[in-house]
Amino acid sequence: IKHYSALAKHYQVNDRPAVVKELYQKIIPLAWDVPEILYQLGVISLNSGDWRQAINLFEETVKQDAAYARIYEEAQLFNKYNDLALMLREKKDLQAAITLFNKAVELNPDFHSARYNLASTLDMAGLRNEAIAAWELYLKRTKNDPKEGTFVKIAEQRILYLKKHID
């Protein structure tokens, strides 16, 4: 397993997704940490433009990770929820994406990307009041974070626009 993983990481760095995918698929029957392998395969599928396969792999990762999280205290489950939600948003399944962004934020309230993604998805779905509340909460948590500068400005603009155009 360690050998295949090391090779996969080497080929990943050298931009050889087909080889990486093949190596990870060899690991699946051997690996106790299957959710992480499925996640990596999902990322490869996403990067290669195979949205359907990526979504299936991310969904399976989240299912398996929930069980592993209880046993191994997996701390990164919130990332997987965010990734899957982004995929669902891309497919225009906004309600499912909102649900998963909420789960990501619930697991890690300081996960600014998921909080931003939640606000923008609520905005896209036309849920103005919910979007305003989400944008305001995003601002409250990130206003003094210099890494969030551009996103803070977008959030401020969206709040102004939405408040101006509420029916």
Side-chain angles (χ1 to χ4, degrees), residues 1 5 7-8 21 25 33 42 47 50 52 56-57 59 67 77 86-87 92 100 109 122 126 136 139 143 147 149 167:
I1 294 172
S5 292
L7 279 172
K21 187 174 184 178
Q25 287 173 333
D33 191 9
N47 291 337
D50 188 351
R52 183 165 303 169
N56 290 338
L57 287 163
E59 285 175 341
L77 186 57
L86 287 169
M87 301 289 294
K92 306 290 188 237
L100 293 180
L122 289 164
E136 287 175 340
L139 284 178
K143 193 134 181 131
K147 295 180 285 186
D167 298 329

Side-chain angles (χ1 to χ4, degrees), residues 137-153:
L137 188 53
Y138 169 79
L139 284 178
K140 181 179 177 184
R141 290 183 164 272
T142 61
K143 193 134 181 131
N144 297 321
D145 185 343
K147 295 180 285 186
E148 296 291 320
T150 301
F151 299 108
V152 165
K153 289 178 185 169

